Amino acid sequence: MQFCLILSFISLARALVLPGPSGPHPVSMVIESLTDKGRPDPYAPSSSPHPRRVMTSLFLPINSTAVRSEIRTVPYMTPLVAADYGLLATSVGLPNSTFASFEVNTTYVLAGRRCSNTRDRSNSNIQSKKIPLVIFSPGFGQSRLLYGIMARSMASEGYAVVTIDHPYDASIVEFPDGSFVRNANISTDDDAALEQVIKVRSADVSFVIDQLKDAAVFRRAYDQHKTAIDFDRIVMYGHSLGGATAATAMLSDPRILGGVDLDGRFFNPVLETGLDRPFLLLGRQDHSAQDPTWAALYEKLRGARVEMSVAGTVHSSFTDYPFIVDALKLPKDAAEQVAGSVSGQRMDTVVKSVLAAFCEFVFGSKAAPELLKPGNGPVPELTVVQADLRK
Ligand SMILES: *[C@@H]1O[C@H](CO)[C@@H](O)[C@H](O)[C@H]1NC(C)=O
Ligand SMILES: *[C@@H]1O[C@H](CO)[C@@H](O)[C@H](O)[C@H]1NC(C)=O
Ligand SMILES: *[C@@H]1O[C@H](CO)[C@@H](O)[C@H](O)[C@H]1NC(C)=O
Ligand SMILES: *[C@@H]1O[C@H](CO)[C@@H](O)[C@H](O)[C@H]1NC(C)=O
């Protein structure tokens, strides 16, 4: 409790702009709420039934030689989500306005072509090299917005990345029309209840893939960005229960070619059935010692499989928290308690390197990238615990 006193001196009078994406491409953000008209929401109160509705953020890398764009600074979180995380911040002595004060720079695509060059005009599809799709699902109770920095950074490497909010397990989901959904009373001690949550989340994931493919709103966005998504190259990752969601979504949706779990435990049915496509487990150093489901799942994986650990991390290192504690300049003890000892910038490199190497492997490179092989790789924080890179 000692650090509470120290923290209460931290002033947040000014907005803090969190760091921009570290990859080569600027990234834009398309925020959409999507309603699955054919699917009643199983968690809707019986007094007001409604179809399942999810929130998504789609991060698209921008080809800045092909489109005109400008940078705008926007809030990191929507107001109610920021207030919710702000309440958590008060428990470590920070003001409740902490999350409301964060901003991010995002790139907006402007109407009109970048070049009036006649050669360019004659071939309007010149830039349409299709990019792969990476899907992300958050931890239980968490907002997709808490992973926006990480997702945007992956997009800046040339991937379309979509993050999904799952209403009723997220503490709060805020929709663009001002409506919001608070969490239902779901017990985290009850595996059957969590398995049901994962099942609903997996259906959300398949629905989002369908929408990204077909909805007019996304087609307009691709057109405006002069980009195209390759729906034959889809990988999914998730944090905590989102990792279990990735595994279960792979079981039910063959379009997802590979999955990555960030420090989350697994549930049935995947623990019983296993998976026949590539799967990677990336966690804190002692994860598998504390969670028997890791060894149990690893044994059942019939496709390529890799288990890796990251020294100096805790469960919440695999969110945007490392960036957040860096931005707040928290004292070392407090920072480590919240988000481990790896900085935001290093965590960004670690997670992105693993995701990109895994995508490269899943999408067809014959030789497995060095990073996924046992031994001392190029990222010092990473250890390959075990790997079986069969194709
Ligand atoms: C955000 O954008 C502003 C204006 O373009 C720029 O001055 C600032 O350095 C950027 N901040 C970050 C963290 O990228
Ligand atoms: C970006 O656009 C330019 C001009 O349209 C094109 O030559 C280039 O190949 C594109 N780059 C990517 C990565 O698609
Ligand atoms: C912080 O708390 C005060 C009162 O305790 C409240 O008026 C304010 O709206 C809260 N701010 C946020 C961002 O939650
Ligand atoms: C939540 O559900 C549990 C049983 O799973 C029950 O004991 C508890 O009273 C419920 N809480 C609320 C606020 O409904």
Side-chain angles (χ1 to χ4, degrees), residues 172-230:
I172 185 165
V173 177
E174 199 169 0
F175 294 96
D177 63 7
S179 64
F180 58 90
V181 169
R182 288 208 186 270
N183 58 320
N185 182 19
I186 300 167
S187 166
T188 51
D189 298 329
D190 177 351
D191 277 11
L194 291 177
E195 281 159 18
Q196 175 62 20
V197 167
I198 293 168
K199 214 170 126 195
V200 172
R201 283 169 162 239
S202 300
D204 291 347
V205 170
S206 292
F207 168 65
V208 168
I209 298 175
D210 293 342
Q211 291 288 298
L212 287 169
K213 249 175 132 160
D214 295 328
V217 52
F218 291 119
R219 289 176 174 272
R220 272 198 302 279
Y222 307 145
D223 215 39
Q224 190 194 24
H225 285 72
K226 308 198 188 313
T227 195
I229 293 181
D230 184 353

Side-chain angles (χ1 to χ4, degrees), residues 22 81 106 123 149 155 246 276 291 305 307 322 353:
S22 53
V81 176
T106 185
N123 188 354
I149 303 287
D276 58 8
D291 170 9
R305 51 187 183 172
E307 180 188 337
S353 307

Side-chain angles (χ1 to χ4, degrees), residues 60 63 70 88 103 171 178 181 187 195 202 234 238 245 253 259-260 284 304 306 308 310 318 347 359 371 386-387:
L60 287 173
N63 181 339
E70 71 178 25
L88 281 182
E103 294 181 329
S171 172
V181 169
S187 166
E195 281 159 18
S202 300
I234 303 179
T245 304
D253 196 327
V260 175
R284 59 186 194 270
V306 188
M308 300 174 101
V310 192
F318 301 87
M347 222 34 224
C359 286
L371 196 72
Q386 47 185 339

Side-chain angles (χ1 to χ4, degrees), residues 106-354:
T106 185
T107 309
Y108 276 74
V109 171
L110 302 173
R113 304 189 60 82
R114 178 162 175 82
C115 316
S116 52
N117 185 316
T118 48
R119 223 212 246 135
D120 232 38
R121 210 176 263 154
S122 66
N123 188 354
S124 64
N125 276 326
I126 188 164
Q127 69 300 320
S128 295
K129 191 173 146 239
K130 286 187 169 183
I131 56 173
L133 174 64
V134 176
I135 303 169
F136 175 79
S137 177
F140 183 85
Q142 306 297 335
S143 168
R144 77 189 194 287
L145 301 175
L146 187 68
Y147 305 83
I149 303 287
M150 197 203 263
R152 192 176 52 149
S153 206
M154 184 61 187
S156 77
E157 298 294 330
Y159 297 86
V161 182
V162 66
T163 62
I164 305 173
D165 264 347
H166 305 287
Y168 293 107
D169 84 65
S171 172
I172 185 165
V173 177
E174 199 169 0
F175 294 96
D177 63 7
S179 64
F180 58 90
V181 169
R182 288 208 186 270
N183 58 320
N185 182 19
I186 300 167
S187 166
T188 51
D189 298 329
D190 177 351
D191 277 11
L194 291 177
E195 281 159 18
Q196 175 62 20
V197 167
I198 293 168
K199 214 170 126 195
V200 172
R201 283 169 162 239
S202 300
D204 291 347
V205 170
S206 292
F207 168 65
V208 168
I209 298 175
D210 293 342
Q211 291 288 298
L212 287 169
K213 249 175 132 160
D214 295 328
V217 52
F218 291 119
R219 289 176 174 272
R220 272 198 302 279
Y222 307 145
D223 215 39
Q224 190 194 24
H225 285 72
K226 308 198 188 313
T227 195
I229 293 181
D230 184 353
F231 288 97
D232 292 328
R233 287 190 294 162
I234 303 179
V235 149
M236 177 165 179
Y237 73 116
H239 174 233
S240 202
L241 200 78
T245 304
T248 298
M250 278 178 71
L251 259 192
S252 57
D253 196 327
R255 293 174 295 184
I256 305 168
L257 303 185
V260 175
D261 169 37
L262 303 179
D263 209 48
R265 82 172 164 109
F266 296 100
F267 293 83
N268 274 324
V270 174
L271 279 176
E272 269 165 24
T273 61
L275 292 167
D276 58 8
R277 301 195 294 289
F279 201 84
L280 187 147
L281 302 85
L282 177 70
R284 59 186 194 270
Q285 203 152 25
D286 46 1
H287 188 117
S288 51
Q290 294 170 0
D291 170 9
T293 69
W294 270 38
L297 181 78
Y298 192 87
E299 192 173 311
K300 295 273 185 159
L301 294 173
R302 300 181 299 282
R305 51 187 183 172
V306 188
E307 180 188 337
M308 300 174 101
S309 68
V310 192
T313 54
V314 296
H315 191 57
S316 55
S317 299
F318 301 87
T319 69
D320 288 347
Y321 273 121
F323 277 112
I324 287 164
V325 301
D326 290 352
L328 292 170
K329 300 191 167 51
L330 294 195
K332 194 159 170 289
D333 279 3
E336 287 188 7
Q337 196 171 324
V338 176
S341 61
V342 184
S343 71
Q345 198 196 24
R346 287 306 304 165
M347 222 34 224
D348 181 60
T349 301
V350 169
V351 173
K352 211 169 64 176
S353 307
V354 172

